[in-house]
Amino acid sequence: MRAAALLAALALLSPSASAQAPDPAALLETRLAEADATLVKEVTGLIEFAVKQGLFAEARVELAWAKELVAGADAWQDAEGKIPTSPAHTEIAVWHAKGKAWLDKRDKTHEKAAGKVHDAATWAKGALPAELDRIVDLGLRIDPGHKGLRKLRGQTEVPPFGWVDDKDA
C-alpha cells in the first residue's frame, strides 16, 4: 500500500506530469474572469442598496461606470430594470446621511473588486510578468487608490503629492 502511494507521488513529480500543467495565460484569464464576476456581483448589490435608499442618480452613474468595465454582463440588464426612471427627491439633510452610507459602501465595493484583480496581478507577476501592467491598469480603473496595486506599480502615497514612484519618494 505504501509503495503504491510512493509511486503515485513520484508520478506527480515526473517531467511528463509538469508538461501537462495548465497554460498560464488561460489561468490568468480565469482569474480575471473571477475578478469580473466579483465586480458584477458587488456592483449589483451596491445598485440595489442605492435604489433602496432612493439614490437613483447614484445607481445610474454606478451602473454606467460598471458597464464600461465589464461590458455585456447579463446582470446589467436586471440591474437597469430595478432602477426607477422617475427622479427621486430627498431632503438635503436626509440625503447627506444616505449619501455618506452610499459612499462608504461604494468604496468598500470597489476595494473588494480591485482586490480580486490584485490577486490576479500578484499571480501574474511570477507567471506572466509581461501582463502585469495591463492587469494593474484594470485594477486601478476600479479603485485608483488600491495600495496593493500601487505597490505592484512601484508607487508610494506621499500625502501632499499623491502617488509617486518609489524612487522619487
Side-chain angles (χ1 to χ4, degrees), residues 48-106:
E48 290 172 3
F49 174 78
V51 169
K52 286 178 186 173
Q53 296 295 316
L55 303 171
F56 304 150
E58 287 81 352
R60 285 189 202 97
V61 168
E62 189 71 15
L63 180 61
W65 172 82
K67 281 181 172 181
E68 288 179 12
L69 291 175
V70 183
D74 294 335
W76 299 149
Q77 292 289 14
D78 294 338
E80 195 165 20
K82 292 178 182 176
I83 302 173
T85 55
S86 63
H89 175 72
T90 308
E91 292 182 25
I92 297 298
V94 175
W95 186 87
H96 280 293
K98 289 181 178 182
K100 174 73 170 112
W102 156 258
L103 291 173
D104 290 344
K105 189 165 180 69
R106 187 196 66 185

Side-chain angles (χ1 to χ4, degrees), residues 88-153:
H89 175 72
T90 308
E91 292 182 25
I92 297 298
V94 175
W95 186 87
H96 280 293
K98 289 181 178 182
K100 174 73 170 112
W102 156 258
L103 291 173
D104 290 344
K105 189 165 180 69
R106 187 196 66 185
D107 290 347
K108 288 177 185 174
T109 297
H110 290 192
E111 185 177 345
K112 184 174 182 179
K116 283 298 237 183
V117 177
H118 176 259
D119 293 345
T122 302
W123 177 84
K125 185 178 179 181
L128 294 168
E131 294 290 319
L132 184 62
D133 283 338
R134 178 180 73 91
I135 299 164
V136 170
D137 287 342
L138 288 172
L140 290 176
R141 285 182 63 201
I142 296 169
D143 183 5
H146 193 276
K147 292 181 192 248
L149 290 167
R150 291 291 182 167
K151 186 174 181 181
L152 287 172
R153 173 67 44 91

